[in-house]
Amino acid sequence: MVEDISVLRGRINEADRRIMDLLAERLDIARQIGEYKIDAGAPVRDVAREEDVVMRFRTMAEERHMDPGIAEQVCRLLIKESVDEQAALFGPSVEPMSIAVIGGNGRMGRWLRLLFEGDGHKVINVDIDTDMRVTDCTNVDVAIVSVPIPVTRNVLSQLDGVCRQDTLIFDIASIKSPFLGLMRDMASRGRRVCSVHPMFSSNDRSLYDRNIIICDCGCSEAADAAERLFGDRGANIKRMSAAEHDRYMSYVLGMSHAVNIVFFDTLSRSGLSYDEMKAVASTTFRKSLDANRSVAFDDPVLYHDIQFLNAGSREAWKVFSECVEELKEASLDPDDSDFVRIMGKGRTYFSD
């Protein structure tokens, strides 16, 4: 006979309590491992170990006739929490400095201020509604430019005129083409300049498994200093040239934005409402809707700048347009061979 539902719910509550106790125990062990890493001089992340743990969770789930995908999701959340706890133990990677964030009231500007204030740095907010101006950055150790792409060049030029020669100067713009020449000129005159691109939104409080791109604009020492500033927090730091960065961004940002915009624009012209679409959505379509909605409510001016100001956009658009036309023809052809070939190219790409 099945137990009374109140009894069953009580058992669920007790199981939840035991789960939370075990989670707390696991986190405490993770902190101890973090202390060991500090003593051993080891990095906060061990990606190979993380993947071993994920596979162990999947295997344990299969042995218990549970969904291994759900087990993996739980595992990755536990790993993220553990790495965040360990990263907090490591503390600031550099001595406290004075850091000016130009555009500190913007979304990423506020994120940078919170990050570096948490590390014990003296952070100066330089924005239109503060008493501070770019001309007040004379004696700062670091100047970070977090302003719209079209005005980044002007701010960098102003900093070039007022900052100490040893001040570390970098931007966080999504596109580097409009001011790359200036940064190279500054580097040639001994300026400590580089370019940084955090590949995540200002809503992300954790840096675990987030990508940060650092571009060498002619002063490798500045790129090294910027990397140290962000420290060992579990992020994936990628070094590349600024020109290489923009070619990547023409696809990573430009084309991904374009695909989503075309998708939701097509839906808006279909005559079928968002609620109607959600009611019949497949798993794949629901994921697409979530991504589309995120893009639709983001900054349209920024998205236009990312497309228009990137010197690599035309090449990416040419390839994208050719692919769309080729897929259209293959989709409308009663012979499925071209369609199968296109799908096969995708499998090969992702397998590689």
Side-chain angles (χ1 to χ4, degrees), residues 298-316:
D298 216 326
D299 183 353
V301 175
L302 171 62
Y303 279 31
H304 175 264
D305 288 343
I306 288 171
Q307 298 279 356
F308 179 71
L309 297 174
N310 190 341
S313 287
R314 283 172 174 76
E315 175 198 339

Side-chain angles (χ1 to χ4, degrees), residues 268-293:
S268 72
R269 301 184 193 193
S270 70
L272 300 169
S273 73
Y274 175 52
D275 287 339
E276 290 171 326
M277 288 292 193
K278 284 199 301 181
V280 298
S282 65
T283 301
T284 301
F285 189 76
R286 186 178 292 277
K287 290 178 181 177
S288 297
L289 284 180
D290 290 342
N292 289 175
R293 195 173 188 281

Side-chain angles (χ1 to χ4, degrees), residues 78-94:
L78 293 175
I79 291 172
K80 172 188 172 298
E81 188 69 14
S82 296
V83 172
D84 285 344
E85 284 289 327
Q86 292 174 4
L89 293 174
F90 275 55
S93 54
V94 295

Side-chain angles (χ1 to χ4, degrees), residues 201-350:
S201 79
S202 57
N203 295 323
D204 291 319
R205 287 292 170 259
S206 169
L207 281 178
Y208 172 74
D209 208 29
R210 301 304 186 202
N211 295 332
I212 299 176
I213 300 173
I214 297 181
C215 301
D216 187 335
C217 300
C219 178
S220 59
E221 191 277 325
D224 292 341
E227 185 170 343
R228 288 194 298 271
L229 189 62
F230 283 94
D232 194 356
R233 307 170 194 265
N236 309 311
I237 295 182
K238 172 74 173 177
R239 297 280 285 265
M240 64 175 59
S241 71
E244 187 182 19
H245 167 275
D246 279 15
R247 184 165 187 268
Y248 274 105
M249 291 308 108
S250 66
Y251 293 95
V252 173
L253 296 181
M255 284 304 98
S256 64
H257 294 167
V259 167
N260 282 282
I261 293 168
V262 168
F263 197 116
F264 68 63
D265 194 25
T266 301
L267 293 181
S268 72
R269 301 184 193 193
S270 70
L272 300 169
S273 73
Y274 175 52
D275 287 339
E276 290 171 326
M277 288 292 193
K278 284 199 301 181
V280 298
S282 65
T283 301
T284 301
F285 189 76
R286 186 178 292 277
K287 290 178 181 177
S288 297
L289 284 180
D290 290 342
N292 289 175
R293 195 173 188 281
S294 175
V295 170
F297 283 89
D298 216 326
D299 183 353
V301 175
L302 171 62
Y303 279 31
H304 175 264
D305 288 343
I306 288 171
Q307 298 279 356
F308 179 71
L309 297 174
N310 190 341
S313 287
R314 283 172 174 76
E315 175 198 339
W317 268 110
K318 179 176 181 294
V319 175
F320 180 67
S321 300
E322 290 171 353
C323 290
V324 169
E325 187 60 32
E326 184 180 343
L327 179 60
K328 172 186 169 185
E329 294 301 321
S331 299
L332 299 177
D333 190 338
D335 181 355
D336 63 11
S337 57
D338 281 345
F339 194 94
V340 172
R341 176 182 56 80
I342 293 170
M343 293 280 288
K345 287 197 296 184
R347 291 193 183 95
T348 300
Y349 180 85
F350 290 117

